[in-house]
Amino acid sequence: MQPDAAGIGIIERGAVASRDGRIAFVGEQADLAPKVWAQETIRLDGQWITPGLVDCHTHIVYAGNRATEWEMRLGGANYEDISRAGGGIMSSVRAVRAASEVALLEQALLRLDHLMAEGVTTIEAKSGYGLDLGQEIKLLRTARRLGASRPVRLLTTFLGAHALPPEAGGDKEAFIDLVCDTMLPAIAKLGLADAVDGFCEGIAFSPAQMDRVFLAARALGLPVKLHADQLSNGGGAALAARHGALSADHVEYTDEAGAEAMGRAGTVAVLLPGAFYMLRERQAPPVAAFRRHGVRMAVSTDCNPGTAPLVSLLLTMNMAAVLFGLTVDEVLAGVTREAARALGIFNEIGSLEVGKACDLAIWNVDRPAEIFHTLGLNPLHARVFRGL
Ligand code: DI6
Ligand code: FE
């Protein structure tokens, strides 16, 4: 099924056949019968089938939680102040550094199981709470083990340029040197990263610093993506586009020029309404500009201990519609084909097409909007990963 740019393709009385984990047929039941002899047939009773859901931006491997900081924010403190005072990302860095790989894995599995129970079959996991080579390797290795522990496809992202660790003594340039010259080559050599990300923001790294990280990543053949324009317009989206990034994420403060650059480069906008909600942000991403410039929009949880303690992609989908104004079709595309594009694997997953992995989510609903209409209700009937 090849859906058009904006809508989702719908087949009524459809059928999907799987062979060796790949889609062998998708179309009308009437067209299936003469062509396929099936070893096993599963009849559905009016349920809907979508591609397996894709959560394309998470920090799911972490230790501890930041409920105390949340209480401070409820009392009036803001995220940037907490971060400057050594809380925020740095408090998760301390927790991760103190945690064993086994503990990290156990805590991440709990979260992964929640996401999978809602039909997620592919997930991305970033590092970024280690911030030295050994600790970043620990996080990425744990992410690989996480993916191997469940029937799920997991892609890893090295997010070394996430925050400045205390041992850097305030020297951001020197830390970026370390990321580019030491961490990136070592991690690439170990095959631990499928992509490279960074946090481009006043409280993190400048566009010039991220430019250096991207050049180093691309020289190693690694695709790039960016936390861009989340709390202010720092030109992050334009920078990502200039590097042909897979995605620019958050993008609440991205301006018209940034949206235009993303459209031209084919850089996907990954919208993260959970962080917007938890931080009580006011500025929603420029969805209208994205539509105008043909920027594809993905939707993801951003699952992390600080700004998005969130293990429900269905709730996130609801937020994308209610808080950001996406249509039902845009939301569904945002957690399937556009999320697959944001991971650079749309040739493999993200739509129901012959030859792609047979990853499916099957829903007890009468129409697609019901998949994420009722907050807290999970209408998943069954989940299929690689045909099983
Ligand atoms: N933005 C985010 O949403 C995550 N990192 C980032 O740069 C999580 C940050 C956090 O742990 O507070
Ligand atoms: Fe994030």
Side-chain angles (χ1 to χ4, degrees):
M1 170 173 45
Q2 190 61 65
D4 57 47
I8 52 170
I10 293 174
I11 301 170
E12 288 187 51
R13 278 172 291 281
V16 178
S18 158
R19 186 192 299 125
D20 300 330
R22 300 204 165 261
I23 296 174
F25 173 90
V26 57
E28 307 253 353
Q29 276 169 35
D31 297 332
L32 173 69
K35 285 189 203 149
V36 177
W37 180 83
Q39 226 156 28
E40 186 191 357
T41 306
I42 300 168
R43 272 189 194 290
L44 296 176
D45 184 22
Q47 281 96 347
W48 284 67
I49 301 177
T50 65
L53 304 189
V54 180
D55 197 356
C56 68
H57 175 141
T58 89
H59 311 247
I60 194 168
V61 182
Y62 63 81
N65 70 66
R66 307 227 297 267
T68 314
E69 172 186 311
W70 181 54
E71 284 190 69
M72 287 164 69
R73 288 209 309 274
L74 290 175
N78 86 27
Y79 179 67
E80 284 160 291
D81 293 343
I82 292 170
S83 164
R84 285 200 185 89
I89 292 172
M90 218 43 68
S91 90
S92 294
V93 171
R94 286 189 291 273
V96 161
R97 288 181 174 185
S100 68
E101 280 194 43
V102 172
L104 275 174
L105 182 63
E106 271 174 11
Q107 293 179 40
L109 274 170
L110 198 69
R111 295 185 277 271
L112 176 61
D113 285 340
H114 275 272
L115 290 165
M116 288 174 58
E118 292 183 345
V120 170
T121 50
T122 297
I123 181 170
E124 183 247 25
K126 302 175 195 297
S127 65
Y129 293 120
L131 303 185
D132 68 30
L133 179 58
Q135 295 292 334
E136 288 291 299
I137 288 175
K138 177 169 99 177
L139 283 167
L140 291 167
R141 214 164 37 203
T142 304
R144 289 277 193 235
R145 284 177 65 197
L146 182 67
S149 303
R150 293 287 185 270
V152 75
R153 182 180 297 91
L154 187 145
L155 279 77
T156 57
T157 300
F158 171 55
L159 175 55
H162 192 197
L164 193 65
E167 63 273 14
D171 192 341
K172 289 189 183 179
E173 286 296 326
F175 182 69
I176 293 295
D177 286 343
L178 185 72
V179 168
C180 295
D181 303 340
T182 307
M183 293 202 212
L184 251 173
I187 282 161
K189 195 161 171 213
L190 291 168
L192 282 174
D194 300 313
V196 173
D197 194 351
F199 189 16
C200 188
E201 193 64 58
I203 53 170
F205 298 99
S206 69
Q209 286 159 344
M210 280 318 307
D211 195 59
R212 293 177 50 205
V213 174
F214 281 179
L215 286 172
R218 291 171 61 201
L220 292 164
L222 289 169
V224 299
K225 55 178 94 174
L226 190 64
H227 282 75
D229 308 333
Q230 180 187 3
L231 308 168
S232 60
N233 179 12
L239 171 74
R242 198 155 64 244
H243 282 278
L246 289 172
S247 66
D249 304 34
H250 288 288
V251 293
E252 277 88 344
Y253 285 85
T254 296
D255 58 17
E256 188 82 28
E260 199 211 332
M262 287 173 67
R264 255 187 289 115
T267 295
V268 177
V270 176
L271 308 186
L272 306 167
F276 174 90
Y277 166 85
M278 280 301 284
L279 294 179
R280 292 172 162 165
E281 288 288 331
R282 292 290 168 81
Q283 178 146 338
V287 167
F290 290 148
R291 288 185 187 127
R292 248 192 324 275
H293 294 290
V295 178
R296 296 176 178 279
M297 292 180 279
V299 172
S300 170
T301 60
D302 195 14
C303 175
N304 76 62
T307 58
L310 175 57
V311 291
S312 171
L313 188 54
L314 292 177
L315 177 57
T316 307
M317 291 161 72
N318 184 286
M319 288 177 176
V322 173
L323 300 176
F324 292 170
L326 265 58
T327 66
V328 166
D329 284 10
E330 283 173 331
V331 171
L332 287 169
V335 294
T336 54
R337 65 170 190 253
E338 309 310 358
R341 282 195 172 97
L343 293 175
I345 52 171
F346 184 58
N347 59 342
E348 176 67 12
I349 59 154
S351 62
L352 302 182
E353 289 179 80
V354 171
K356 288 196 174 185
C358 188
D359 295 354
L360 312 173
I362 305 172
W363 305 96
N364 285 317
V365 296
D366 290 326
R367 51 186 293 118
E370 289 175 26
I371 293 172
F372 55 101
H373 167 251
T374 302
L375 303 177
L377 183 85
N378 177 5
L380 189 77
H381 172 71
R383 175 188 180 280
V384 175
F385 178 67
R386 294 191 200 276
L388 297 172

